Amino acid sequence: MAAKRNTVTTQIPETPPEGTSLALDTRLSRHVESVIPKKRQEALKWYGWGYNDSQFYGQQGIICFKGDKYPLSGCELPSFTNWVKSKFNLDLDAKRTYPQLPETYPKPVQNAPFLNELRGCTKVEHSQEGVDRLVRSHGQTLNDIYSLWHNKFERIPDLVVWPRCHDEVVQLVRLAHKHNVMLLPFGGGTSVSGAVTCPQKEERMICVLDTSQMNRMLWLNRENLTVCFESGIVGQDLERVLREQGLTVGHEPDSYEFSTLGGWVATRASGMKKNVYGNIEDLVVRVRMVTPSGTLERECSAPRVSCGPDFNHIILGSEGTLGVITEVVLKVRPVPPVQRYGSLVFPDFEQGVLFMREVARRRCQPASVRLMDNEQFLFGQALKPEKSWLASCLDAIKQRYVTVWKGIDLTHICAATLLFEGEQKDVQRQEALIYEIAARYKGFPAGGQNGERGYLFTFVIAYIRDFALHQGIVAESFETSVPWDRCSLLCRCVKQRVVSECARHNILHYTISARVTQTYDAGACIYFYFGFRYLNIPDPVEVFEAIEHCAREEILACGGSLSHHHGVGKIRSHWYRNAVTETGSALYSAAKQHLDPRNIFAAGNLLPAQEKLKKPAEAAAAATTPTAATAALKAKL
């Protein structure tokens, strides 16, 4: 007798399926009360990042932070104020106001047969209210936010739907395919690649499929340490539910508070603790995706199968272009009994990179180890709240210790933050080994408090972009992955390229910095942070994107990847064909044609529209003239 299929199901079985353990606990299946309400604008900013009550602001010439969810809440930041003034030659303008919701919205395109069948044959909740459509018209790119602030969106979605389970998604996809309505899957709206930005040239009715009401934990198998969640669950909700059971997934991207499980899968996300728990592709056991041609999923939940190409990997990284991810089976781990932070200081970035390389070579990485360059180190120090007289004296003593006794130049110093997790003895053993390796590269411990602050401030830093824009500064991050032998060189070349492009655009006040955030056997992930103050620049975002385009060309010329974990989206689609070859792009197109023959998932991600294949003239001109740094690299290679 054939064994029954071990299915991922929307309907919860009364008894465990054949072949599974009694540890499969379906009694835990429940809807999760999310920190983000269905009307997301009630808790989150419609015009930028994060919670409504959390924000940097200016008061009496000092930058402050308000809100009650972060370590900086309620703090005055005089050092950060001075850093901003010196870096951007900027005095705070407290009179500037933030944008207000528009009074009118673009009129929705109507598809009467689709709407009639939606209302008559399904129970799916939906809305055509302007504000519901607006807040789901964008992600978190600089272009998205700048367009919101200046009311530049000519096209926003025409309808928002909230399916509650896999079966309702099946209904919606069938209806959209039948009536030729475009579907745009929407999770947390945290994309920084333009992946969820509403296509401005789409003529069909655009229906945003908001997965936020699909956030149940469907089952938990304690014996196998696997769990099944619906795709709309937000990262912090997922972890909270699991920790109530003494378990964790351990996936913490920078967007963890607001991004969703489905979004992690759709973009091939990576988390800060991937050294212990893995990237999302390492955590996924099975995934279910609804397409116009049917539901795509793997039959078996075995830990590994050799059964031709793995269709999980068709879904991973598909960026909403093939279908809607509805359910995901994940690996989980017991919550570690010990969590300890640490930090290291190195005399310069190159020594820090050598340390990171040796740690990766020996495969002894802690849960998180991240190296910041001198510019980011100084920025992080500036973010410290105002201290008492005694604390300031202690800081002065520490600085003297570093500069005089250790002989480190503060204009080159860099630092690494560490997070250890595991059993007490294992953590102690790992700490000793990490500090021993650091000493070989002139590094020394700088305390657990600095490490914890650096790790947790990751979630606060995201709020700076909107405050900067409010003060006339455009800023954004971009990332890549690169082999170890080109890591330091790539950082130098990209920084030099940005500096030269700023000079070409007569930009005097800017910042460009880098950090190494994830390590692998063969290479590392590098984040760049770039921002400039715009004076007498009519369209600062266009200039920013032109400079970033040049930086990306430099990254690729140095052997870096198109993206490590942000994905391709729309803003990097220009390079996708070259990244995967013509054969690879044709293979993707064939899969797209089979799964979505009417192109109802027309987000415009990965492969660009025909009119986008040509580079912007300015960026193209710059790209044809490689810098000396690139020329030197090519000569070396």
Side-chain angles (χ1 to χ4, degrees), residues 119-139:
R119 291 163 180 159
C121 301
T122 78
K123 296 181 180 180
V124 177
E125 296 182 70
H126 56 277
S127 169
Q128 287 193 298
E129 289 185 26
V131 65
D132 289 334
R133 296 158 50 217
L134 179 68
V135 299
R136 294 167 181 82
S137 66
H138 63 88

Side-chain angles (χ1 to χ4, degrees), residues 79 385-400:
S79 297
E386 186 175 20
K387 292 189 173 182
S388 66
W389 177 84
L390 177 60
S392 298
C393 289
L394 290 174
D395 273 356
I397 293 171
K398 291 175 184 177
Q399 181 172 319
R400 183 169 179 80

Side-chain angles (χ1 to χ4, degrees), residues 257-278:
E257 298 171 282
F258 311 112
S259 57
T260 63
L261 173 58
W264 299 345
V265 173
T267 57
R268 293 181 64 88
S270 180
M272 292 185 282
K273 298 192 292 187
K274 76 93 194 165
N275 295 334
V276 169
Y277 302 100

Side-chain angles (χ1 to χ4, degrees), residues 63-129:
I63 298 174
C64 310
F65 189 82
K66 63 181 179 181
D68 60 1
K69 299 177 177 66
Y70 303 99
L72 278 183
S73 297
C75 292
E76 293 185 352
L77 303 168
S79 297
F80 183 46
T81 305
N82 292 334
W83 183 86
V84 170
K85 287 181 178 180
S86 64
K87 182 62 63 175
F88 297 103
N89 190 30
L90 175 70
D91 290 319
L92 296 183
D93 184 355
K95 295 181 180 179
R96 290 196 183 205
T97 59
Y98 282 94
Q100 300 297 312
L101 276 169
E103 295 181 1
T104 60
Y105 300 91
K107 186 178 179 181
V109 173
Q110 303 285 354
N111 184 314
F114 173 80
L115 288 171
N116 290 338
E117 201 162 347
L118 174 70
R119 291 163 180 159
C121 301
T122 78
K123 296 181 180 180
V124 177
E125 296 182 70
H126 56 277
S127 169
Q128 287 193 298
E129 289 185 26

